[in-house]
Amino acid sequence: MRRIRIGTRGSRLALIQTEYVEKELKHRFADVITERVIIHTEADKDRRTPLYEFKGTGVFAKELESALLEDRIDIAVHSAKDMSVNIPDKLTIAGALEREDVRDVLVYRKDIPKSLDDIKQEITIGTDSPRRKSQIEKLYPLIKCESIRGNVPTRIAKVKNGEYDGALLAVAGLKRLGLLEEEDLNYHYFSEEEILSAGGQGIIAIETRKDDDIVSYIDRISDKTAFAELMAEQRILKLLNAGCHEPIAVRAKVVGDDITITIANAIMSADNKAVCTEIKRSCKSGKQNDWENIALAAAREIR
């Protein structure tokens, strides 16, 4: 039997995503048994500090990577958008599960007009993402963003109890949690043209040690399209030296042998008021086997 120790955060969403990985492994390999190892990250322990105030990137991934390097786990399961582009040399993203819906959705109370175009006075929504903040405030000037912490159910609870008028969240997480059917809330889905997603959004990434035989196991359960899109998005973010603290969005979309890479970069005001003055976009397409050159061209255009 092959025992695989799976490192995961302890949130409900993280455990659901880990269950997906476990099911794929057990479906593909009859000799695999899995063991969950719950790891509490720095950002899980500190639920008050806004995420953009944490030093460095990958605040939900660093402790999982340390556990891999110290051989306390065999694989780490991540929400890919939470990962740093600067992965330790001895580690690798070995695979990814099929991508879920990449869009963002505004979850808001019923007393807010159902059509956002009908909002007549300022409303406050929760997000810790500069990418989301810049794009939604550019679309709807009466929407103002404030920092919000906590896992997805906690954020929705804060909307329900009136701490916020709404919260801007990833559709993928809500789907996996079964939280897209709340009768006392409204949901406004943004197209990718309105709000471009974060690199890796909707993807469950599986990280391993490079020299471990577990790499071959993960390759067998990996979705090739999602993995190709993730690699392109990670490369773009690295080229732009961008992490979760920058208002940069990137989306790689593979269809057949073709790939399209779109980047959105929010240009902020120079008066320290964090006001988005422009969303600069770049979009490049070509054959998937030329993805690295396409990524480089898209990144050059957005700089």
Side-chain angles (χ1 to χ4, degrees):
M1 298 295 285
R2 179 62 159 93
R3 182 171 67 99
I4 299 176
R5 298 166 297 169
I6 303 178
T8 176
R9 295 167 59 207
S11 72
R12 182 178 159 203
L13 178 57
L15 295 175
I16 287 172
Q17 293 179 162
T18 297
E19 185 178 350
Y20 290 164
V21 174
E22 290 171 333
K23 285 181 177 178
E24 289 296 324
L25 284 168
K26 291 174 182 178
H27 173 73
R28 181 73 64 173
F29 303 102
D31 65 332
V32 161
I33 57 174
T34 60
E35 173 191 341
R36 292 185 191 179
V37 180
I38 307 299
I39 295 173
H40 301 287
T41 70
E42 177 186 6
D44 290 320
K45 296 171 187 173
D46 178 356
R47 298 193 177 186
R48 293 182 178 272
T49 303
L51 289 177
Y52 54 79
E53 291 186 9
F54 281 88
K55 293 181 180 180
T57 58
V59 296
F60 288 115
K62 287 186 293 186
E63 283 84 355
L64 288 162
E65 291 178 334
S66 293
L68 276 171
L69 292 169
E70 295 165 8
D71 195 22
R72 290 185 280 122
I73 59 174
D74 300 304
I75 67 175
V77 177
H78 303 279
S79 292
K81 70 181 180 64
D82 291 338
M83 298 187 73
S84 168
V85 295
N86 298 309
I87 294 171
D89 290 340
K90 293 183 179 181
L91 304 182
T92 185
I93 299 175
L97 299 192
E98 184 177 0
R99 194 167 206 167
E100 187 45 276
D101 195 323
V102 302
R103 293 175 298 167
D104 282 327
V105 58
L106 179 62
V107 181
Y108 56 109
R109 298 197 319 272
K110 289 282 191 178
D111 57 319
I112 306 296
K114 187 168 181 59
S115 170
L116 300 183
D117 291 320
D118 293 336
I119 294 173
K120 302 302 181 186
Q121 60 186 24
E122 190 174 291
I123 66 170
T124 300
I125 68 164
T127 179
D128 260 1
S129 164
R131 171 191 65 84
R132 287 175 172 146
K133 170 181 166 62
S134 59
Q135 292 186 87
I136 196 171
E137 289 185 350
K138 185 66 175 173
L139 281 172
Y140 296 99
L142 287 176
I143 288 179
K144 299 302 176 186
C145 297
E146 291 187 1
S147 172
I148 186 171
R149 289 298 315 275
N151 57 33
V152 174
T154 298
R155 295 184 186 205
I156 290 179
K158 288 181 177 182
V159 173
K160 288 184 174 181
N161 68 24
E163 291 181 57
Y164 299 83
D165 296 310
L168 192 52
L169 301 163
V171 172
L174 292 172
K175 273 191 172 184
R176 289 168 181 151
L177 288 164
L179 294 175
L180 282 171
E181 304 292 336
E182 303 286 293
E183 293 183 357
D184 53 345
L185 295 171
N186 286 326
Y187 297 83
H188 180 93
Y189 295 83
F190 292 98
S191 69
E192 293 184 60
E193 288 71 32
E194 292 174 312
I195 295 183
L196 192 65
S197 57
Q201 186 155 312
I203 295 177
I204 298 171
I206 306 167
E207 191 176 17
T208 68
R209 291 179 292 276
K210 285 180 180 177
D211 59 356
D212 199 312
D213 73 315
I214 200 69
V215 171
S216 62
Y217 283 76
I218 303 307
D219 181 67
R220 293 275 301 277
I221 68 169
S222 182
D223 181 87
K224 305 310 178 189
T225 297
F227 186 73
E229 292 177 351
L230 178 57
M231 291 300 97
E233 290 166 10
Q234 284 261 310
R235 179 62 57 86
I236 286 284
L237 293 172
K238 191 158 190 174
L239 287 168
L240 295 174
N241 193 29
C244 57
H245 302 320
E246 288 79 28
I248 293 177
V250 57
R251 168 78 159 108
K253 188 172 185 178
V254 172
V255 179
D257 295 329
D258 299 318
I259 187 169
T260 298
I261 296 176
T262 306
I263 309 172
N265 184 21
I267 309 302
M268 310 304 287
S269 61
D271 55 8
N272 294 321
K273 293 183 179 178
V275 175
C276 176
T277 59
E278 176 189 0
I279 303 289
K280 187 177 181 181
R281 282 197 172 223
S282 170
C283 186
K284 300 291 182 183
S285 299
K287 293 300 178 182
Q288 186 187 341
N289 59 12
D290 193 36
W291 72 267
E292 292 189 78
N293 287 325
I294 297 167
L296 183 59
R300 281 174 174 166
E301 189 172 275
I302 207 72
R303 282 177 173 145

